[in-house]
Amino acid sequence: MAPVYPKFDVTQSGHLQVSSIHSIYWEECGTPTGVPIVYLHGGPGGGIDDTDRQYFDPAHYRSVLFDQRGSGRSTPHASLEENTTWHLVGDIEKLREHLNVDKWLVFGGSWGSTLALAYAESHPDRCLGLIVRGIFTLRREELLWYYQQGANFIFPDYFEAYRNAIPEAERGDLMEAYYKRLTNDDDEDEQLKCADAWSRWEVSTSKLIVDPAYIAKADDPEWALAFARIECHYFVNGGWMRDGQLVGDAPKIKHLPITIIQGRYDVVCPAKTSWDLYQALGGAANKNVDYRLVGDAGHSAHETTIEEALMDAVEKYKSIKP
C-alpha cells in the first residue's frame, strides 16, 4: 500500500472566468511535465480541501484541482444560476484548454464520480483513464434511498434530525421541501437551519464508524449552505440528464482503463450502483476495468482501507503515458 504523500505546496493557482457569472478557483501541483490528473470533488458543492492533493506523487503527476461553480473559493458563492452538470463538464474542458493539457487522468469520488463519468462519456478522447470511488450516478432510486427512505433504516437516529427539519405535512417529498427552503433567500434563519440539517445528515453517515470530528464539518454555516443548496438543486433536477444515463452510456468509455473503488457498507452511495456500472462496462470480461469492493468501509475517502485502495490505484496508473 502506497502512503498518502506528505503535504506539499501548490505550484500555481488562479481563477478562470467560465461564464459571465461564474469564476472558478483552480490550483496545480507537482511537476509541470508530469502526467496530468484532474481531481473532481464531491457534493456537488463540497469544494476542494488541502489534503486532496496528497493522493498524487508530486514527482510524477501534474495534478489539477478546482472548486466547482458556487463551491469553495469559486464565485459567486452558493450560486445556483447557470449551475448544472453540463456547465461543469464544460468548465472541465475550459480548464483543460486553459492549462494546455491534451489528455488527463480523471479522479473523483461520490459526486466526483458522477461528474467524472459525465465528463468522460462526453469527452472520451480527452481521458487517459478514470479512478472513481463511492459511485453515484444520480438515478432516482439512489436519491430516494438516501434522502427519503432506505438509509433511515440503518441510521434512524441521525435521520430523525434531517426529517424533523421539515413540517410533517411536507415529508412525503423531503428533497422538494428542502429545496423550497434552501432557495428562499427571504428567510435566512430557515435557510441556514435546513442547510445544517441536510449537511449534518450526510457527514454523519459517511463513515462505517460514525466520526464526530467529520460531523463537525457541518458546523461551518458557509460550507453547509453551499453544500446543501447546490446538492439539493442538482438532485431535484435529476442532474439535467435522463434517469440512468451515466450507466446506460458507460459503453462509450469501456476502452479506457478504469478503477472503481467501493465501500461494501457505503450507505450514502450503496454498492449496487458501482456494481451496475461495472456490469455496464462489461464486468469481469473487460480487462480494462478493475473493480474493488472494500469489505470494511463505508463512503468516505478518508477511511483507511478506502484511502489505501485509492493510493494503490494512483500508483498503478503511473504506468500510463500521456
Side-chain angles (χ1 to χ4, degrees):
M1 187 275 290
V4 174
Y5 287 92
K7 290 183 179 180
F8 51 87
D9 293 333
V10 171
T11 55
Q12 61 171 337
S13 64
H15 280 82
L16 178 64
Q17 195 73 36
V18 290
S19 79
S20 60
I21 299 171
H22 290 276
S23 173
I24 60 169
Y25 169 80
W26 61 270
E27 59 187 39
E28 185 176 310
C29 312
T31 178
T33 57
V35 176
I37 186 166
V38 61
Y39 176 92
L40 305 178
H41 68 68
I48 57 174
D49 186 84
D50 287 346
T51 60
D52 293 333
R53 66 182 78 111
Q54 291 176 247
Y55 293 110
F56 313 116
D57 182 354
H60 180 84
Y61 285 108
R62 177 189 179 190
S63 54
V64 177
L65 302 88
F66 72 100
D67 288 322
Q68 297 157 29
R69 294 189 182 201
S71 306
R73 284 164 280 188
S74 293
T75 59
H77 182 71
S79 173
L80 306 182
E81 191 174 355
E82 294 183 9
N83 196 342
T84 73
T85 304
W86 309 112
H87 284 108
L88 300 188
V89 167
D91 292 349
I92 298 170
E93 272 296 273
K94 289 173 184 174
L95 184 57
R96 182 189 63 76
E97 292 170 355
H98 177 71
L99 297 175
N100 296 310
V101 172
D102 182 40
K103 297 182 179 183
W104 48 14
L105 291 164
V106 183
F107 180 111
S110 192
W111 160 256
S113 76
T114 320
L115 187 55
L117 292 168
Y119 174 75
E121 291 171 8
S122 300
H123 301 283
D125 57 323
R126 295 303 180 184
C127 299
L128 296 170
L130 284 78
I131 301 170
V132 286
R133 185 268 314 163
I135 307 304
F136 174 52
T137 65
L138 244 173
R139 294 178 297 187
R140 185 67 179 169
E141 65 180 19
E142 299 169 44
L143 294 168
L144 291 176
W145 153 266
Y146 188 66
Y147 291 104
Q148 190 65 38
Q149 182 167 298
N152 60 307
F153 280 68
I154 301 170
F155 287 97
D157 45 349
Y158 290 100
F159 189 83
E160 184 174 358
Y162 163 76
R163 181 199 62 202
N164 287 351
I166 300 300
E168 188 172 357
E170 297 180 59
R171 291 177 190 168
D173 189 340
L174 287 165
M175 284 182 284
E176 190 63 45
Y178 265 97
Y179 191 54
K180 182 171 73 174
R181 289 161 173 80
L182 289 168
T183 55
N184 182 8
D185 295 333
D186 294 329
D187 191 342
E188 185 179 2
D189 289 343
E190 180 75 359
Q191 193 177 55
L192 291 174
K193 183 188 84 170
C194 286
D196 180 86
W198 176 285
S199 303
R200 204 168 293 277
W201 163 237
E202 186 159 330
V203 294
S204 298
T205 56
S206 286
K207 292 188 176 184
L208 180 61
I209 306 300
V210 175
D211 181 354
Y214 197 67
I215 294 173
K217 286 184 68 173
D219 293 342
D220 179 354
E222 184 174 348
W223 177 85
L225 183 62
F227 187 75
R229 267 172 60 92
I230 297 172
E231 275 201 342
C232 200
H233 170 65
Y234 272 70
F235 298 167
V236 298
N237 287 291
W240 298 270
M241 63 182 83
R242 67 182 184 275
D243 196 43
Q245 178 174 334
L246 297 180
V247 174
D249 286 352
K252 293 180 179 180
I253 57 172
K254 66 181 182 180
H255 62 288
L256 295 171
I258 300 172
T259 296
I260 300 170
I261 296 167
Q262 177 69 43
R264 164 83 65 185
Y265 301 107
D266 188 338
V267 172
V268 182
C269 299
K272 179 183 183 295
T273 302
S274 67
W275 185 254
D276 291 346
L277 175 64
Y278 178 50
Q279 296 303 314
L281 289 166
N286 186 351
K287 301 307 179 185
N288 292 319
V289 182
D290 181 12
Y291 180 73
R292 305 187 190 184
L293 195 57
V294 181
D296 59 351
H299 181 66
S300 174
H302 299 293
E303 292 175 276
T304 301
T305 49
I306 294 287
E307 193 170 80
E308 289 173 353
L310 288 169
M311 292 304 300
D312 285 347
V314 173
E315 289 299 297
K316 183 185 79 171
Y317 277 53
K318 283 184 175 181
S319 63
I320 292 177
K321 305 300 180 185

